[in-house]
Amino acid sequence: MTDFTMEKGADGVAVITWDVKDKSMNVLTREAFATVETLIDDALGDEAVKGIVITSGKETFAGGMDLNTLAKIREESGDDPAQGLFDFTMNGHRILRRLERAGMDPKTNKGGKPVACAITGTCMGIGTEIALACHRRFMADNPKAKIGLPEILVGIFPGGGGTMRYSRMVGAMAAAPVLLEGRSLNPAKAKSAQLIDEVVPADELLAKAKEWVLTAGDADIVKPWDQKGWKMPGGAPYHPAGFMTFVGASAMINGRTKGVYPAAKALLSAVYEGALVPFDTALQIEARWFTSVLMNPSSSAMIRSLFINKEALEKGANRPAVDDQKVKKVGVLGAGMMGAGIAYASANAGIEVVLIDNAQEAAEKGKAYSEGLLDKGIQRKRVTEEKKTQVLGRITPTTDYAALEGCDLIVEAVFEDVGVKAEVTAKAEAVIPADAIFATNTSTLPITELAKASARPEQFIGIHFFSPVDKMMLVEIIKGKQTGDVAVAKALDFVRQIRKTPIVVNDARFFYANRCIIPYINEGIRMVKEGVAPALIENAAKLVGMPLGPLQLTDETSIDLGVKIAKATKAAMGEAYDDTSDEVIFWMADEGRLGRKSNAGFYAYDEKGKRQGLWDGLSEKFPVAEEQPDLTEVQHRLLFVQVLEAVRALEEDVLMDIREGDVGAILGWGFAPWSGGPFSWLDILGAEYATERCDALTEAYGDRFTTPDVLRDMAKKGQSFYGRFGPEAKAA
Ligand code: NAD
């Protein structure tokens, strides 16, 4: 069975249906694209066929391109992967262009066959690009369906003609939200954005598309850019309005991407250059820029981490082979900031929740948090009143532990205190079924220690959420020494139910994410003490793709939390603890500058809490040195200090899979997404250069930059992390 099939009706309409049999969503492969061409040729050459409708056999239209295809083409192209990728892209252009021209006479634009796209539901990437090549787009009226070109979010851009077609349809400025921000739209919004032409009831979709095909005339099917005298909407680059657009867009892209995401810049270049030439040449320009982006190591690293590996982890790449452990009823202990968020995420996914706190009022307040989020969703038209009632109906706030009866999973989120946690563990275990799993959301306490309070340590596990729970996509699952497979599977199935991305790590101080992010913060603060200009520290971080500079991040998470962690770490580590950065934060805490929450921190804030510039007073206490380090040096300190921690986590077997290390870093603390994560970044640098840099940094700044043995060994052997530890290497 091929992915595309065609049925020619007695009415003269050939319906091409896309239905990839063993997938829940249609994704396009190279082979299937070749079938499309054969079918188009057949329909265009058959006199009995008056027009074509392209649709899907599923409720959704398309998930996009099978991104593994691009990796395969690169591999198969031997010495000249760029040529292979360019040829592949141009072949795609040729097929879609054939569909778009539909047999028209090149001079008169007459005699073509109308082609409509009947979009059954969600439609992404190449699916949308196929639709854009058609002459008219009908979409089923399903408010949950989305259509878009989200390529930019994984580090590439729409290279199947979508960039050229859409920018020529609406103009560069109007196309920006869809192309440059990767925004997906529901049918109504997609219609206003001209991504589609008509929204129709799902059961009339095919009939409406056919009706149009049978009535459309020559003038209805010629694309504007194939007509004489066509002008780019909003102005081409040398038009006064176009000039303003492109100058503004250039500045905006550099501002937003800080120059580290090649795809956004390449996209704009393609639109700019493409607007100056006829459409077929513009497609070549698009293909050149697309190839250039695909050849950039950042794009393959982003695709690997943010698409291929993220999906693999969500689908349970590291799940032990035990029966389905889907959660039916979860008990959440502690209805504070985290507990309330966990209750919301669970109830929203259809799970019954018992939300427990010391006082009924506190438990109710935890439930009210869900109500607040749902109300916001209603205001933004993302949630219905019905959904709100359902979700809230699933949450039972109480102080009574007996209500935990029948819970198959407990997530404990009470105070960060061993004694309090031990007490609630015993109380819950007295009520829950013998095979239930008990999870703790602790961020700092060892799971193996906490498991001592449990009568069933093999059923005890860490499920570490990040704050705010409703926004943060990563969940760290931590195995204690005795944690068994069923507990791991339960945690993974739970995370899947609530549609987040899991990583599974072994128990060690600060697990994985916090272990890497704390040194980043400390390095920034250390530099303040050394006299590095705070603006240089913050900008260096942002210019290398970190979402927040270390000082702003400290303000956001609060300086007193930093003090608390420093004290606790010192107590636990004793002599080995490095207290260099303590002086700065202890002093800030004494000054009452606790960060955003006190409207005063490394930054100044106005009365409304709006962040102003860096706080002047800092330099009075820690003067800025006359001589400043160069930008790359500061950036290397800030990045290496994180990635070396990740490598140590791998060496110590805290991390068991580098894919988790990369995906977890991007989703957990925003580690420079353009790099694909810490291990991908080191692979981009190359082990040899990374080793040289670590040696130099160690000499200049100390042992925290010591080159890990594994990295030195890889440098000697000419290896990369993915070559040595990636899934293929593991499987071999
Ligand atoms: P919080 O202080 O906001 O909430 C704790 C809640 O537990 C309070 O409502 C308190 O009344 C309740 N509680 C205390 N003792 C209890 C008991 N015996 N029985 C029932 N309820 C009890 O704290 P939080 O920020 O939500 O953190 C909770 C846990 O999550 C901690 O272990 C923390 O380390 C962890 N965590 C926090 C964050 C974060 O960013 N805040 C992130 C990840 C993990």
Side-chain angles (χ1 to χ4, degrees):
M1 187 78 182
T2 54
D3 294 354
F4 288 88
T5 51
M6 182 162 73
E7 212 168 298
K8 295 175 187 168
D11 53 2
V13 180
V15 178
I16 297 178
T17 304
W18 190 2
D19 198 349
V20 184
K21 280 294 167 268
D22 51 353
K23 297 241 174 182
S24 59
M25 259 208 186
N26 291 326
V27 289
L28 191 71
T29 61
R30 214 177 347 173
E31 299 70 32
F33 214 13
T35 322
V36 175
E37 184 174 25
T38 319
L39 297 179
I40 295 169
D41 277 350
D42 179 352
L44 293 179
D46 185 342
E47 281 192 1
V49 172
K50 298 194 182 77
I52 304 169
V53 173
I54 301 182
T55 190
S56 152
K58 302 185 191 297
E59 278 185 10
T60 52
F61 187 77
M65 185 84 200
D66 179 353
L67 288 175
N68 291 300
T69 302
L70 297 173
K72 257 191 241 151
I73 291 168
R74 187 196 296 252
E75 274 165 32
E76 287 168 12
S77 309
D79 291 346
D80 203 351
Q83 190 66 48
L85 290 164
F86 180 77
D87 292 345
F88 167 76
T89 310
M90 282 309 295
N91 190 46
H93 284 335
R94 194 181 51 73
I95 297 171
L96 290 186
R97 192 65 178 134
R98 200 156 156 59
L99 182 74
E100 184 167 58
R101 294 296 296 161
M104 271 173 240
D105 180 282
K107 288 217 174 86
T108 61
N109 279 338
K110 294 214 161 101
K113 295 184 181 181
V115 184
C117 195
I119 305 164
T120 47
T122 288
C123 176
M124 294 290 151
I126 189 74
T128 305
E129 296 185 293
I130 293 175
L132 289 171
C134 296
H135 303 131
R136 200 163 179 85
R137 288 160 291 283
F138 297 80
M139 188 164 182
D141 184 11
N142 171 1
K144 281 201 181 137
K146 290 270 164 79
I147 178 165
L149 295 162
E151 283 86 342
I152 202 84
L153 303 177
V154 290
I156 54 176
F157 72 84
T163 298
M164 285 306 147
R165 289 196 171 86
Y166 190 54
S167 62
R168 283 180 181 230
M169 283 164 67
V170 300
M173 181 88 96
V178 172
L179 294 178
L180 269 176
E181 293 170 30
R183 232 186 260 173
S184 301
L185 308 173
N186 67 25
K189 290 205 170 122
K191 188 174 171 201
S192 343
Q194 295 179 49
L195 263 183
I196 55 167
D197 300 296
E198 288 186 42
V199 183
V200 297
D203 54 359
E204 293 172 23
L205 180 68
L206 203 56
K208 292 271 185 209
K210 281 185 177 179
E211 189 183 310
W212 181 84
V213 159
L214 290 171
T215 50
D218 283 336
D220 298 319
I221 67 170
V222 189
K223 290 294 171 72
W225 44 87
D226 285 325
Q227 294 172 15
K228 269 218 179 83
W230 173 77
K231 286 209 170 59
M232 175 103 170
Y238 294 137
H239 181 278
F243 181 79
M244 297 305 286
T245 303
F246 283 98
V247 169
S250 236
M252 184 192 86
I253 287 180
N254 271 324
R256 287 211 187 150
T257 65
K258 307 284 186 287
V260 291
Y261 294 92
K265 224 170 173 173
L267 187 152
L268 189 64
S269 300
V271 172
Y272 180 98
E273 292 165 19
L276 299 168
V277 293
F279 190 67
D280 286 297
T281 316
L283 287 177
Q284 284 192 37
I285 289 174
E286 187 191 283
R288 289 225 168 95
W289 278 112
F290 188 54
T291 305
S292 142
V293 165
L294 291 177
M295 289 302 294
N296 189 306
S298 158
S299 77
S300 25
M302 278 181 83
I303 291 175
R304 183 175 60 201
S305 290
L306 291 173
F307 185 80
I308 298 172
N309 291 342
K310 177 172 169 287
E311 195 176 279
L313 298 179
E314 284 162 1
K315 287 194 173 155
N318 292 325
R319 185 185 185 280
V322 298
D323 293 347
D324 182 14
Q325 294 295 321
K326 223 174 269 143
V327 176
K328 290 177 201 75
K329 186 174 170 190
V330 63
V332 178
L333 312 184
M337 185 165 92
M338 297 305 287
I342 297 164
Y344 168 74
S346 309
N348 204 30
I351 303 170
E352 289 295 319
V353 180
V354 178
L355 181 57
I356 291 207
D357 209 297
N358 274 334
Q360 185 62 26
E361 208 186 339
E364 304 273 358
K365 191 172 159 216
K367 178 172 173 174
Y369 177 75
S370 287
E371 191 167 359
L373 287 179
L374 291 160
D375 283 339
K376 249 191 221 156
I378 290 174
Q379 267 168 25
R380 294 187 185 148
K381 300 210 162 58
R382 291 205 184 126
V383 175
T384 58
E385 286 289 348
E386 190 190 354
K387 166 105 184 177
K388 176 182 161 185
T389 313
Q390 279 170 358
V391 174
L392 291 179
R394 291 188 194 113
I395 305 176
T396 310
T398 177
T399 56
D400 181 8
Y401 278 71
L404 295 174
E405 202 187 327
C407 284
D408 48 327
L409 175 72
I410 299 291
V411 181
E412 169 275 302
V414 298
F415 296 140
E416 191 74 336
D417 178 287
V418 180
V420 179
K421 289 196 189 284
E423 182 197 322
V424 301
T425 306
K427 271 164 107 175
E429 282 189 356
V431 184
I432 56 178
D435 60 354
I437 302 298
F438 189 102
T440 171
N441 180 48
T442 180
S443 21
T444 56
L445 303 168
I447 304 304
T448 309
E449 273 307 299
L450 294 178
K452 287 185 180 154
S454 167
R456 317 149 185 162
E458 69 290 349
Q459 286 161 236
F460 193 97
I461 194 163
I463 302 186
H464 181 214
F465 285 86
F466 294 81
S467 171
V469 177
D470 61 300
K471 294 221 172 75
M472 297 296 287
M473 293 313 293
L474 186 73
V475 179
E476 218 171 359
I477 293 171
I478 304 112
K479 283 164 71 170
K481 278 221 173 66
Q482 298 185 61
T483 304
D485 279 354
V486 177
V488 175
K490 186 96 190 170
L492 282 167
D493 291 358
F494 174 55
V495 173
R496 187 169 183 173
Q497 275 175 283
I498 58 174
R499 292 183 288 276
K500 296 199 184 282
T501 309
I503 62 171
V504 182
V505 300
N506 278 316
D507 196 11
R509 182 188 313 284
F510 299 135
F511 316 131
Y512 174 60
N514 287 339
R515 172 185 184 146
C516 299
I517 193 72
I518 292 170
Y520 168 67
I521 289 176
N522 286 345
E523 197 64 25
I525 296 172
R526 204 183 256 267
M527 286 192 225
V528 169
K529 193 171 157 187
E530 289 170 16
V532 179
L536 175 57
I537 303 169
E538 294 292 88
N539 286 326
K542 284 193 227 155
L543 287 169
V544 79
M546 293 299 295
L548 302 183
L551 306 181
Q552 190 187 342
L553 183 58
T554 314
D555 271 9
E556 295 296 330
T557 51
S558 93
I559 285 169
D560 48 330
L561 178 69
V563 168
K564 213 166 128 192
I565 292 176
K567 285 184 178 158
T569 314
K570 189 171 185 173
M573 287 178 73
E575 292 274 295
Y577 180 73
D578 177 352
D579 63 359
T580 317
S581 53
D582 287 359
E583 186 190 339
V584 180
I585 52 166
F586 283 37
W587 175 74
M588 295 278 284
D590 288 345
E591 293 286 300
R593 299 191 72 88
L594 303 182
R596 175 181 284 287
K597 69 178 183 193
S598 68
N599 258 7
F602 286 109
Y603 283 80
Y605 299 80
D606 68 13
E607 328 71 67
K608 287 190 188 134
K610 190 159 186 279
R611 192 162 42 83
Q612 309 292 306
L614 281 150
W615 174 52
D616 297 336
L618 193 60
S619 60
E620 281 163 32
K621 174 85 178 169
F622 301 99
V624 174
E626 232 165 70
E627 208 173 307
Q628 291 292 309
D630 77 33
L631 180 70
T632 312
E633 185 79 352
V634 177
Q635 290 177 326
H636 278 182
R637 284 180 70 173
L638 292 173
L639 287 196
F640 269 107
V641 84
Q642 300 173 64
V643 303
L644 289 178
E645 221 35 72
V647 175
R648 283 177 208 125
L650 181 72
E651 283 187 314
E652 291 164 19
D653 202 33
V654 173
L655 260 185
M656 290 167 280
D657 183 338
I658 56 169
R659 294 178 297 176
E660 295 181 311
D662 274 351
V663 174
I666 298 177
L667 299 187
W669 75 93
F671 180 89
W674 66 267
S675 70
F679 296 99
S680 292
W681 185 66
L682 286 170
D683 279 356
I684 290 174
L685 292 187
E688 200 177 331
Y689 176 64
T691 302
E692 266 171 39
R693 287 304 296 143
C694 288
D695 288 346
L697 291 169
T698 309
E699 186 156 336
Y701 308 106
D703 289 346
R704 61 194 182 285
F705 292 105
T706 301
T707 311
D709 291 343
V710 65
L711 188 63
R712 204 176 286 287
D713 188 53
M714 283 166 48
K716 246 190 242 149
K717 295 180 177 151
Q719 291 175 327
S720 65
F721 277 100
Y722 275 84
R724 179 162 166 161
F725 298 102
E728 287 88 19
K730 270 192 183 169

